[in-house]
Amino acid sequence: MDIFSIDENQTVYNTEMQAQRRSDLAKRSRYYQPLLDTSLLEPGIPDYNLLNLSYIIVIMTFDYFGYGKYLYTFEPRCLEVPECPLEDGATRIFLNTEGKDDTGVSEELIDFLNYIKNSTDETAAASGSERIHRIHNRVCKVRTSEKVGVRYMQAWEEKYYERQENLKEGLQKGRKLQLSEQVQKKLAKNKTPEEIADALEESVETIQKMIQEISKEAE
């Protein structure tokens, strides 16, 4: 959790920056919800109505959902009756610095997301928002401080993601090698690309591409 805050109405906000595109972002936001909720009730208190309203806010430097929105808001609703909200007090918000559609979004929020993308003197000065000016002043102080270091991800998490990427790459290479061997065996039996694709449960395009690569390697 990058930022945990509570306003004067006791509404709780957990805000996280996400600069690297990851496929698990939606479930990551789900993971933060119980962590947030368990911290809001004293042990042994069974009255769940005491749970605060809460917002999980993820600020992304990419459009995770692909609809061009600056703001994506999710609240649980009934699938059978869409106009029936669950009203459990939990809201998840994704802010997108690469938004294009400003419908229903304030100019200040757009200025803020532009500032997240380009945290420069020029971007801050171009905004008419006093809040953004204050944020920029604070950012400048942090940048010039000898005592304060800015880190966006803990070292263990960086190493974890690096290992995951290496593992993913290794699995892909291994699968490609295995597929190549299977295709070569089928070709030796004079199977057509269509027959090979059907036998290996792959698309004809994938098999044709693999055959081309095998032919180039044999030259």
Side-chain angles (χ1 to χ4, degrees), residues 59-62 70 95-99 112-114 116-117:
I59 304 174
M60 313 173 294
T61 58
F62 50 88
Y70 285 100
L95 298 176
N96 168 33
T97 64
E98 299 300 317
F112 171 70
L113 293 174
N114 287 334
I116 290 293
K117 185 165 56 174

Side-chain angles (χ1 to χ4, degrees), residues 69-203:
K69 296 287 188 180
Y70 285 100
L71 171 67
Y72 297 94
T73 305
F74 293 87
E75 293 179 341
R77 292 182 177 274
C78 177
L79 293 179
E80 292 75 14
V81 189
E83 64 272 20
C84 176
L86 184 60
E87 295 185 342
D88 63 349
T91 302
R92 278 186 263 180
I93 293 175
F94 295 81
L95 298 176
N96 168 33
T97 64
E98 299 300 317
K100 306 297 181 185
D101 183 357
D102 60 1
T103 304
V105 181
S106 70
E107 182 178 349
E108 184 177 44
L109 178 58
I110 295 175
D111 284 351
F112 171 70
L113 293 174
N114 287 334
Y115 178 74
I116 290 293
K117 185 165 56 174
N118 296 302
S119 304
T120 63
D121 294 340
E122 293 76 15
T123 304
S127 173
S129 169
E130 182 59 33
R131 289 190 182 93
I132 293 176
H133 296 166
R134 292 201 303 268
I135 290 172
H136 183 60
N137 288 336
R138 180 58 179 163
V139 168
C140 290
K141 290 180 180 178
V142 170
R143 284 174 174 169
T144 57
S145 173
E146 295 180 355
K147 297 182 179 179
V148 180
V150 179
R151 297 200 58 182
Y152 295 101
M153 193 179 294
Q154 293 181 351
W156 67 267
E157 194 171 14
E158 291 176 344
K159 292 178 181 178
Y160 169 80
Y161 285 132
E162 183 179 351
R163 287 197 299 268
Q164 290 297 103
E165 290 296 332
N166 291 338
L167 177 60
K168 182 179 179 181
E169 184 179 349
L171 289 173
Q172 289 175 340
K173 288 181 178 179
R175 185 180 183 281
K176 185 176 181 180
L177 179 60
Q178 183 182 36
L179 181 62
S180 177
E181 292 174 349
Q182 291 174 328
V183 170
Q184 291 182 64
K185 290 179 181 179
K186 299 292 183 183
L187 289 173
K189 295 179 180 180
N190 297 319
K191 298 292 184 180
T192 67
E194 290 75 15
E195 290 173 331
I196 296 174
D198 183 62
L200 299 181
E201 297 184 344
E202 296 285 349
S203 68

